[in-house]
Amino acid sequence: MNAARTSTAGRRLGVLVAATVAMMATGTGPAAAHAEVTASDSRALAENVTLSFVSEAESDAAGIKELRIVLPKGIAPGTVALKEAPKGWKLAATADGYTVSGTALAAGTDAEHSITVRQLPDAKSLAFKTVETYGDGKISRWIEVPGDGQQVENPAPVLELKKAAPGAELIAPSPSPEPSTGAPSSSAAAGPGDDATASASAESEADAKEEDSGGDGVLLTVVAVVAVLAAGAAIWWVRRSRNRA
């Protein structure tokens, strides 16, 4: 009887251990977020919103010296401005977001900063992929975006948005600033996709000028040769006439 009970208990313990291992392997357990974001106004299409970020320190040997944020679709790097950051840290725009960096913080100190955004996009949620760089070169990437209720090991900060306020509309992009003096050059006016066309056009113009210049030079040379020959013929004729006389 005791042997049977012991066997049953052993089987139950084995099932429990197997279930726990399976849960850990499939990642269905809760994942701790080490980078978070909050908003002063979390409604879609909200304007002049302050986004606050907290990146938890994970190293006891070195402090965070740089945060690289990838902005979600609908927020352009040019519409972001730094509001608060560790003393001496500066914001620099990148192609897909921005970096905020400076002197490395003390080991164990969380990196906190906030930015102002001209307008939030019309979306249900926004993910801000974050890469943390420490003073000793260590890098932590919080760039995974959970989907369909699944948990991820390195979740990116996600901001859940509420419905837009009644009457809220998407702000039109700001017009490009016009130059203060002088007309814009062809290279400045051309967009990134027009570089090849502008370059080819410039080369064609240069070739045409060289051809025109070359043609004028040949014509002048021919005229000069004819003039010299004519002068020589005239002198020869005069001398011949004198000899006959």
Side-chain angles (χ1 to χ4, degrees):
M1 187 69 172
N2 292 336
R5 292 180 179 177
T6 301
S7 178
T8 301
R11 285 197 299 271
R12 290 177 178 176
L13 178 60
V15 171
L16 179 60
V17 171
T20 303
V21 171
M23 181 180 295
M24 295 176 62
T26 56
T28 56
H34 290 267
E36 300 177 351
V37 58
T38 56
S40 60
D41 189 343
S42 59
R43 294 175 298 176
L45 299 180
E47 300 178 28
N48 301 317
V49 178
T50 297
L51 299 179
S52 299
F53 296 85
V54 177
S55 293
E56 297 181 12
E58 298 180 297
S59 174
D60 295 330
I64 299 173
K65 70 173 184 179
E66 180 185 86
L67 299 174
R68 183 177 184 276
I69 310 296
V70 176
L71 293 171
K73 183 179 180 181
I75 302 180
T79 64
V80 171
L82 183 63
K83 185 174 183 180
E84 294 183 4
K87 185 177 180 180
W89 282 34
K90 304 294 183 182
L91 182 145
T94 62
D96 56 2
Y98 67 90
T99 62
V100 58
S101 60
T103 303
L105 303 177
T109 302
D110 296 343
E112 302 181 20
H113 79 283
S114 61
I115 59 173
T116 55
V117 178
R118 186 163 178 255
Q119 186 181 39
L120 296 180
D122 188 4
K124 294 182 179 180
S125 63
L126 303 173
F128 297 83
K129 297 180 180 180
T130 302
V131 178
E132 306 167 352
T133 301
Y134 290 78
D136 59 358
K138 177 185 176 182
I139 296 177
S140 293
R141 296 178 174 85
W142 302 99
I143 59 175
E144 296 180 308
V145 181
D148 299 330
Q150 296 181 352
Q151 297 290 337
V152 293
E153 294 183 2
N154 301 294
V158 175
L159 178 66
E160 301 293 338
L161 297 184
K162 302 175 183 177
K163 291 183 179 180
E169 296 181 355
L170 185 65
I171 300 175
S174 301
S176 301
E178 297 182 358
S180 56
T181 58
S185 63
S186 58
S187 60
D194 297 331
D195 290 344
T197 303
S199 177
S201 177
E203 291 178 0
S204 298
E205 292 178 1
D207 292 341
K209 290 180 179 179
E210 289 181 0
E211 291 177 0
D212 293 342
S213 177
D216 293 341
V218 172
L219 180 60
L220 292 175
T221 302
V222 171
V223 172
V225 170
V226 171
V228 170
L229 292 176
I235 295 174
W236 175 81
W237 179 262
V238 171
R239 289 181 178 178
R240 182 181 180 184
S241 299
R242 287 178 179 176
N243 290 336
R244 289 181 177 180

